[in-house]
Amino acid sequence: MTQLADKVDVFQAIADPTRRHVLQLLASSDKPIALIADHFTISRTAVVKHLNVLEQAELVSAQKKGREKIYTLHMDRLKEIEDWLQYFDLFWDNKLAQLQHIIDNE
């Protein structure tokens, strides 16, 4: 498989609540798999699969230190989501301005 085919869309990666929780855990600091897995009731293998999806979406990266892998969050990849949501902020701002105009003119 090519590298492009292996890449996961950022939106697909954050669609799962477990992966969103992993991102929240990594927002404060880099963490090893064991520490991440301690926050979940699912198996360590399942956590690793979620981490692999996040890695394919380039939201996290792993660095081997001794016998452990340490995961790091890449906040810059979340910019794509912020940009997409910004469109809806403008949409709602416009709708609220229209509502304010209607209220003011009544």
Side-chain angles (χ1 to χ4, degrees), residues 8 10 19 27 40 42 60 64 76-78 83 95-97:
V8 173
V10 172
R19 291 193 286 269
F40 299 96
I42 59 176
V60 301
K64 197 109 162 109
D76 56 317
R77 286 289 292 149
L78 295 173
D83 292 345
K95 293 295 182 190
L96 290 171

Side-chain angles (χ1 to χ4, degrees), residues 57-106:
E58 298 175 351
L59 287 165
V60 301
S61 62
Q63 183 177 0
K64 197 109 162 109
K65 288 193 179 177
R67 296 178 58 190
E68 287 187 309
K69 266 190 175 180
I70 308 297
Y71 283 86
T72 302
L73 174 64
H74 296 288
M75 292 290 289
D76 56 317
R77 286 289 292 149
L78 295 173
K79 178 85 171 100
E80 183 179 344
I81 297 162
E82 180 186 5
D83 292 345
W84 185 79
L85 288 172
Q86 210 166 34
Y87 166 80
F88 294 99
D89 283 344
L90 293 172
F91 171 81
W92 285 112
D93 288 346
N94 185 34
K95 293 295 182 190
L96 290 171
Q98 288 175 358
L99 179 58
Q100 186 66 47
H101 179 74
I102 292 169
I103 292 170
D104 290 344
N105 290 325
E106 284 189 1

Side-chain angles (χ1 to χ4, degrees), residues 7 15-16 24 26 33 39 41 44 47 53 55 63-64 72 76 88 95 98 104:
K7 191 172 178 180
D16 186 275
Q24 288 175 317
L26 292 173
I33 295 172
H39 288 85
T41 57
R44 182 180 166 136
V47 171
V53 170
E55 207 169 358
Q63 183 177 0
K64 197 109 162 109
T72 302
D76 56 317
F88 294 99
K95 293 295 182 190
Q98 288 175 358
D104 290 344

